[in-house]
Amino acid sequence: MRQKVRKAIIPAAGYGTRFLPATKAMPKEMLPIIDKPTIQYIVEEAVAAGIEDIIIITGKSKRAIEDHFDKNTELELDLMNKGKISMLESVQKASNLANIYFIRQKEMKGLGDAIYTARTFIGDEPFAVLLGDDIVVSEEGDQPAIKQLMEEYDLTGSSVIGVQSVAQDQTHRYGIIDPLEQDGRLYKVKTFVEKPKQGTAPSNQAIMGRYVLTPTIFDFLAKKQIGAGGEIQLTDAIQMLNQVEPVYAYDFKGIRYDVGEKIGFIKTTIDFALHREFADEIRQYMREKLEEE
């Protein structure tokens, strides 16, 4: 009987240099979109997909992430005594989402190395990986992005990589697939290329921070092969895995927000604000600012 995907890895060990100096003392994963840190959106997606156990890979100065998902008894009692029930519920939600564990990546050697640090936690099971730079919002009626990949894994028994199309002039920023054949949204993949040089990408289907992987991937991550940027790249290990067992790509449904760079973070904040209770005030403010131009 095929094993179900029960565990997820969320890498959160990077320095967040694009957001310095804000991230000098605060993990970039704790930067809020309105009133919720970005990493909580990622955890909530995993939980909504039915993931039972989540391991977050952290690094130095990342203690705030652990504190966020822990209980804060003093704060909760204070909110309860003041009758701030909605705030209390939002605080408690973060600590009750799932079984969350933490492990440190001792050196910043790349995404592949970060995933490899969780090998003992994963054991001999298929697992999900959700990167914190991408928040994916599912349309009403659609499954969470990682759940879509999990369902494809259930059908194929193989690793499945989440992709979406990007503009050709943006392909050099992503891992890109070279499709062999296509069946609806599912691609059989010839090769995976990490950040191809401008104008050399084999397609515009880009890897978008969502993966379901078989444990065989650890055999190739163990090789510690240095790739693009002088780091151990997950995409390189996936390409090696593809030589011994099929690896598929799936064009998942959902609106993807890039919170890993400043302009993407700002756009995400605005878009999320336009779906909150103060949306009308935001629209009015934006109209006024545009009129001033």
Side-chain angles (χ1 to χ4, degrees), residues 63-126:
R63 182 59 187 269
I65 299 175
E66 297 183 38
D67 289 343
H68 178 72
F69 291 106
D70 198 0
K71 287 185 66 65
N72 188 327
T73 304
E74 291 182 3
L75 174 61
E76 292 176 19
L77 284 173
D78 184 65
L79 293 172
M80 182 180 292
N81 292 335
K82 292 178 179 178
K84 298 180 179 181
I85 305 304
S86 62
M87 288 185 183
L88 173 62
E89 290 174 347
S90 67
V91 168
Q92 291 176 328
K93 180 179 180 180
S95 57
N96 295 325
L97 281 169
N99 300 320
I100 301 178
Y101 309 89
F102 299 89
I103 188 170
R104 277 194 175 187
Q105 182 185 18
K106 294 180 173 62
E107 296 180 72
M108 301 297 104
K109 294 182 179 180
L111 176 58
D113 182 67
I115 301 302
Y116 187 67
T117 62
R119 62 194 181 282
T120 302
F121 173 82
I122 296 299
D124 192 28
E125 298 183 40

Side-chain angles (χ1 to χ4, degrees), residues 4 49 102 107 123 128 134 154 187 190 208 212 216 219 227 259 286:
K4 292 289 185 180
F102 299 89
E107 296 180 72
D134 297 303
D154 289 340
Y187 295 88
K190 181 180 179 182
M208 289 300 183
V212 170
T216 311
D219 295 340
V259 295
M286 292 172 68

Side-chain angles (χ1 to χ4, degrees), residues 8-283:
I9 299 173
I10 301 177
Y15 291 121
T17 51
R18 292 177 182 174
F19 287 91
L20 286 170
T23 50
K24 178 183 178 182
M26 174 189 289
K28 71 170 183 176
E29 296 82 7
M30 289 300 296
L31 295 174
I33 304 296
I34 312 300
D35 52 9
K36 188 190 299 184
T38 57
I39 195 167
Q40 185 170 333
Y41 290 97
I42 312 303
V43 170
E44 288 177 353
E45 180 186 334
V47 171
I51 296 292
E52 300 171 10
D53 298 304
I54 297 170
I55 186 163
I56 299 177
I57 312 298
T58 65
K60 294 179 181 178
S61 304
K62 298 279 185 167
R63 182 59 187 269
I65 299 175
E66 297 183 38
D67 289 343
H68 178 72
F69 291 106
D70 198 0
K71 287 185 66 65
N72 188 327
T73 304
E74 291 182 3
L75 174 61
E76 292 176 19
L77 284 173
D78 184 65
L79 293 172
M80 182 180 292
N81 292 335
K82 292 178 179 178
K84 298 180 179 181
I85 305 304
S86 62
M87 288 185 183
L88 173 62
E89 290 174 347
S90 67
V91 168
Q92 291 176 328
K93 180 179 180 180
S95 57
N96 295 325
L97 281 169
N99 300 320
I100 301 178
Y101 309 89
F102 299 89
I103 188 170
R104 277 194 175 187
Q105 182 185 18
K106 294 180 173 62
E107 296 180 72
M108 301 297 104
K109 294 182 179 180
L111 176 58
D113 182 67
I115 301 302
Y116 187 67
T117 62
R119 62 194 181 282
T120 302
F121 173 82
I122 296 299
D124 192 28
E125 298 183 40
F127 62 99
V129 176
L130 301 90
L131 303 190
D133 283 350
D134 297 303
I135 294 175
V136 182
V137 176
S138 299
E139 301 282 5
E140 187 175 351
D142 287 339
Q143 297 275 25
I146 196 64
K147 181 65 173 178
Q148 296 173 46
L149 303 190
M150 290 162 63
E151 290 181 343
E152 294 301 319
Y153 166 80
D154 289 340
L155 293 173
T156 64
S158 297
S159 298
V160 185
I161 314 303
V163 297
Q164 286 191 333
S165 60
V166 298
Q168 286 289 350
D169 63 357
Q170 294 295 305
T171 53
H172 66 286
R173 300 177 58 233
Y174 300 91
I176 300 292
I177 67 166
D178 184 0
L180 194 59
E181 56 185 68
Q182 181 178 359
D183 181 10
R185 289 180 170 270
L186 187 69
Y187 295 88
K188 192 169 184 179
V189 181
K190 181 180 179 182
T191 55
F192 295 84
V193 184
E194 178 64 20
K195 297 180 180 178
K197 292 182 180 179
Q198 189 84 48
T200 67
S203 77
N204 69 334
Q205 292 294 319
I207 299 172
M208 289 300 183
R210 297 294 183 272
Y211 312 76
V212 170
L213 300 168
T214 64
T216 311
I217 191 71
F218 292 119
D219 295 340
F220 300 102
L221 290 173
K223 296 179 183 296
K224 304 286 186 178
Q225 179 174 305
I226 303 300
E231 297 182 331
I232 299 168
Q233 297 290 349
L234 178 59
T235 302
D236 294 339
I238 291 171
Q239 172 57 24
M240 288 187 279
L241 176 66
N242 196 35
Q243 305 304 309
V244 299
E245 62 182 48
V247 178
Y248 292 88
Y250 186 76
D251 182 7
F252 61 83
K253 298 178 183 178
I255 302 171
R256 175 246 181 187
Y257 294 92
D258 183 356
V259 295
E261 58 180 16
K262 292 176 185 177
I263 188 64
F265 185 87
I266 293 168
K267 289 179 179 179
T268 304
T269 302
I270 293 171
D271 209 354
F272 278 44
L274 292 174
H275 290 83
R276 294 290 295 270
E277 66 277 7
F278 38 72
D280 289 343
E281 294 178 55
I282 297 296
R283 290 190 179 92

